[in-house]
Amino acid sequence: EGAFVIAGGVGRKIEEQAKIVSYIAGRKKGMSSDAAADIVHKTLFDYGDLSGFERHWLRRFFPFYTWSSTRPSSSPGSSRTGRRLLAS
């Protein structure tokens, strides 16, 4: 189980970095703090939003559950939308 704990920690750090970079990019484009944070929330998944059932059961039996359930093509606020917003 130690490897899973380490991998989870690495994954969280990568996710945090992506959120910080997206926020800073929005601010550099002249967005307000709230607008930049809104872009981050619309384009990057918040794993804290998972229910206990999803976190403890679905992710164990379906390793890519969170990835497949949050695919940009299935959500209105996709990462492509966020990239377009930041690029303009």
Side-chain angles (χ1 to χ4, degrees), residues 26-61:
R27 294 290 289 158
K28 284 185 176 181
K29 293 284 183 180
M31 293 180 175
S32 68
S33 295
D34 290 337
D38 191 43
I39 291 295
V40 171
H41 292 296
K42 285 181 180 177
T43 58
L44 296 171
F45 184 70
D46 183 1
Y47 290 93
D49 289 344
L50 291 174
S51 69
F53 177 73
E54 289 174 312
R55 188 172 32 258
H56 296 292
W57 293 103
L58 289 178
R59 286 178 63 191
R60 288 178 195 226
F61 292 106

Side-chain angles (χ1 to χ4, degrees), residues 8-83:
V10 170
R12 275 188 293 282
K13 291 299 177 190
I14 291 170
E15 203 57 34
E16 288 171 9
Q17 182 202 18
K19 289 178 180 181
I20 291 168
V21 168
S22 295
Y23 177 81
I24 291 171
R27 294 290 289 158
K28 284 185 176 181
K29 293 284 183 180
M31 293 180 175
S32 68
S33 295
D34 290 337
D38 191 43
I39 291 295
V40 171
H41 292 296
K42 285 181 180 177
T43 58
L44 296 171
F45 184 70
D46 183 1
Y47 290 93
D49 289 344
L50 291 174
S51 69
F53 177 73
E54 289 174 312
R55 188 172 32 258
H56 296 292
W57 293 103
L58 289 178
R59 286 178 63 191
R60 288 178 195 226
F61 292 106
F62 304 103
F64 295 101
Y65 168 75
T66 51
W67 180 78
S68 63
S69 68
T70 61
R71 296 293 300 147
S73 60
S74 65
S75 66
S78 72
S79 61
R80 291 182 184 152
T81 303
R83 284 189 219 121

